[in-house]
């Protein structure tokens, strides 16, 4: 199991990745609306997720990351079905990967 400081560090990386994804999808005029909306929804969840991460409540942290990773899965599926620009596809894949990696380390 990861230590709280490790979880905080990983979560900080996740936040940076999601911020990048939000910027890329916002600035790419060809980004499909469903992908843009999903990334915005993930970004919207981040303040609450940050509070959960600071709580050091392992059960809540796992549930929170599972929920975020599920949204990342949805975004990745949307990429496969809509074939956005390579930049959008890449950043959405990174969002999914960082969330999935933390999820697997927490379980």
């Amino acid at each position: 199991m990861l230590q709280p400081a490790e979880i905080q560090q990983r979560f900080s990386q996740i936040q940076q990745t999601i911020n990048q994804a939000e910027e890329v999808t916002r600035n790419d005029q060809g980004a499909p609306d469903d992908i843009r909306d999903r990334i915005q929804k993930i970004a919207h969840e981040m303040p609450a997720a940050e509070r959960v991460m600071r709580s050091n409540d392992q059960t809540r942290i796992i549930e929170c990351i599972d929920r975020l990773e599920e949204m990342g899965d949805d975004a990745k599926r949307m990429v496969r079905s809509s074939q956005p620009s390579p930049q959008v596809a890449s950043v959405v894949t990174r969002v999914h990967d960082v969330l999935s990696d933390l999820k697997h380390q927490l379980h």
Side-chain angles (χ1 to χ4, degrees):
M1 192 61 75
L2 293 174
Q3 297 300 312
E6 292 172 296
I7 293 171
Q8 288 294 331
Q9 181 181 14
R10 297 291 301 283
F11 189 73
S12 178
Q13 293 169 341
I14 288 168
Q15 286 177 305
Q16 290 173 359
T17 303
I18 290 169
N19 289 342
Q20 290 170 344
E22 193 174 26
E23 183 176 333
V24 167
T25 58
R26 182 176 46 243
N27 292 333
D28 186 324
Q29 298 304 314
D33 289 339
D34 57 346
I35 293 174
R36 186 179 294 119
D37 292 346
R38 180 59 55 176
I39 294 298
Q40 287 177 345
K41 184 172 182 173
I42 294 170
H44 182 74
E45 292 289 323
M46 295 310 288
E50 186 173 8
R51 287 189 296 277
V52 171
M53 296 304 131
R54 285 197 304 256
S55 76
N56 293 328
D57 180 333
Q58 199 70 26
T59 301
R60 288 181 60 215
I61 289 171
I62 290 170
E63 289 171 355
C64 178
I65 294 299
D66 285 355
R67 191 170 55 254
L68 290 172
E69 193 265 346
E70 190 174 304
M71 287 189 270
D73 279 348
D74 290 343
K76 190 172 179 180
R77 276 191 292 279
M78 291 172 190
V79 164
R80 284 194 294 260
S81 67
S82 64
Q83 300 178 336
S85 71
Q87 295 84 2
V88 170
S90 175
V91 77
V92 169
T93 298
R94 280 198 317 269
V95 166
H96 171 266
D97 290 350
V98 295
L99 287 166
S100 182
D101 187 48
L102 181 54
K103 174 185 173 179
H104 292 293
Q105 287 188 345
L106 289 172
H107 285 273

